[in-house]
Amino acid sequence: MSSARDPLHVTGEVLSVKRIGAYRHLTLVAPGVAERSRPGNFVAVSVGDLRPRSHQTRLSYWIHRVRNTGSHGATIEIIVEPRGAGSQWLTGLGQGSRVDLTGPLGRPFAQPKEPVSCLLVGEGHSAAPLFPLAERLRERGCVVSMLLAASDEQHLLAALEARRSARSVTVVTRDGSVGRSGRVADVLPELLAQVDADVAYAAGSVETLHAVAAAAEAHGAWSQVALELPQPCGTGLCNGCPLPVVGEDGVARIVRACHEGPVVRGDRVRWTALLEGA
Ligand SMILES: Cc1cc2nc3c(=O)[nH]c(=O)nc-3n(C[C@H](O)[C@H](O)[C@H](O)COP(=O)(O)OP(=O)(O)OC[C@H]3O[C@@H](n4cnc5c(N)ncnc54)[C@H](O)[C@@H]3O)c2cc1C
Ligand code: FES
């Protein structure tokens, strides 16, 4: 018997593709997926018609927004950075194109029971799942602050929107084209202290997530990190996304990033093993 939380495999429809800086913002009609999703869930999209085995290629994308559009029901929005063949195929789709996807997948962000102070750290396109999270946390009475980071202005995701979602927003770019010049790690200790964060949520590169987990621990805060490790299937079937962790029993083990994650507690990740394997 399927539960309201089980992922669905559906043929979706592209409602729109818009350019946002270096990214493409896709709105997809995906019946049932939107209704089941929680902040931190992702969808696995089948990218096709590229090579002989294209029907087996699936790429994962964070669910950025869920919106109710009267005529098409609830839709999902994803942010795609066109890079290799798969993401270029996806961002090249026109309005009305059909696309197979499975979702919502993965373990979402755990949310605090008390109204605490939360710092949300998002790097590049990976900031996508933090916006619905910010809304949920605010509904729970949490104080939400955001740190958005990118290589340059083109890769900075939705900084204006962040100002509506958070009490304070800090921006850092590596080239200094907007906000402060530097990286997440440069401003993190100061920011955690400034907002007196109880929880840090982060989505970005493994190096950035490691920096957030370490700084949060030093500050005495919990951390939840959303990992983007390569995922051949995204559904827990292939064991192709090994994530080294320490279990609650203190024993080191390997779990599947797509199924036991992709959101995990920062202090549970064996960062050295992960970075060495990356
Ligand atoms: C949980 C999660 C969330 C993510 N969220 C986002 C997001 O919100 N936005 C974003 O931009 N990225 C996101 N990513 C990254 C995204 O999944 C892709 O990795 C990224 O878009 C790069 O795609 P690409 O075009 O370079 O991949 P490709 O060039 O298509 O390559 C991907 C892999 O598939 C193989 N492959 C490609 N085509 C075929 C084929 N026809 N047959 C067989 N193998 C093939 C390649 O060899 C490679 O191993 C996320 C990843 C994860 C794990
Ligand atoms: S990607 Fe296949 S098990 Fe995680």
Side-chain angles (χ1 to χ4, degrees), residues 204-223:
S205 65
V206 171
E207 289 77 10
T208 294
L209 300 184
H210 182 205
V212 173
E217 195 163 350
H219 176 73
W222 294 104
S223 65

Side-chain angles (χ1 to χ4, degrees), residues 42 47 50-54 57 59-62 79-81 83-88 125-126 128 227-231 262:
F42 66 95
V47 297
L50 301 170
R51 292 170 235 174
R53 288 173 57 228
S54 62
T57 303
L59 296 178
S60 301
Y61 294 96
W62 300 114
I79 304 289
V80 182
E81 180 171 8
R83 280 179 280 174
S87 50
Q88 286 186 32
H125 68 249
S126 308
L227 290 150
E228 281 182 27
L229 302 183
Q231 294 185 351

Side-chain angles (χ1 to χ4, degrees), residues 60 229-242 256-259:
S60 301
L229 302 183
Q231 294 185 351
C233 78
T235 58
L237 290 174
C238 73
N239 280 317
C241 54
R256 294 161 298 179
C258 70
H259 202 252

Side-chain angles (χ1 to χ4, degrees), residues 20-177:
I20 311 185
Y23 307 124
R24 303 293 181 277
H25 174 283
L26 276 74
T27 302
L28 305 169
V29 181
V33 176
E35 291 84 343
R36 292 170 189 229
S37 87
R38 288 186 282 170
N41 282 147
F42 66 95
V43 288
V45 182
S46 303
V47 297
D49 306 333
L50 301 170
R51 292 170 235 174
R53 288 173 57 228
S54 62
H55 62 283
Q56 291 177 335
T57 303
R58 292 154 66 83
L59 296 178
S60 301
Y61 294 96
W62 300 114
I63 298 175
H64 174 48
R65 288 273 187 214
V66 166
R67 245 187 260 274
N68 218 320
T69 62
S71 52
H72 291 89
T75 57
I76 60 164
E77 297 171 21
I78 59 173
I79 304 289
V80 182
E81 180 171 8
R83 280 179 280 174
S87 50
Q88 286 186 32
W89 177 86
L90 188 56
T91 52
L93 293 177
Q95 190 181 353
S97 302
R98 292 157 83 80
V99 61
D100 283 340
L101 60 90
T102 308
L105 291 166
R107 211 174 260 238
F109 290 110
Q111 294 169 38
K113 294 190 174 60
E114 306 293 324
V116 295
S117 172
C118 303
L119 178 63
L120 277 50
V121 183
E123 183 181 41
H125 68 249
S126 308
L130 298 181
F131 291 84
L133 175 67
E135 266 170 32
R136 284 289 177 90
L137 292 170
R138 279 176 48 192
E139 285 163 13
R140 287 173 174 242
C142 293
V143 176
V144 176
S145 309
M146 285 183 107
L147 168 58
L148 291 178
S151 51
D152 54 36
E153 187 168 10
Q154 286 292 299
H155 291 85
L156 190 68
L157 186 66
L160 280 178
E161 202 179 328
R163 296 193 199 284
R164 289 195 292 272
S165 308
R167 181 175 289 190
S168 69
V169 180
T170 305
V171 168
V172 279
T173 49
R174 284 207 289 282
D175 70 352
S177 52

Side-chain angles (χ1 to χ4, degrees), residues 187-268:
V187 295
L188 207 51
E190 172 195 333
L191 206 52
L192 284 162
Q194 196 179 313
V195 304
D196 198 12
D198 300 295
V199 189
Y201 293 96
S205 65
V206 171
E207 289 77 10
T208 294
L209 300 184
H210 182 205
V212 173
E217 195 163 350
H219 176 73
W222 294 104
S223 65
Q224 294 253 322
V225 296
L227 290 150
E228 281 182 27
L229 302 183
Q231 294 185 351
C233 78
T235 58
L237 290 174
C238 73
N239 280 317
C241 54
L243 169 62
V245 296
V246 178
E248 284 190 26
D249 52 8
V251 177
R253 51 172 65 89
I254 301 286
V255 296
R256 294 161 298 179
C258 70
H259 202 252
E260 281 77 25
V263 177
V264 289
R265 264 174 52 177
D267 61 337
R268 292 267 182 247

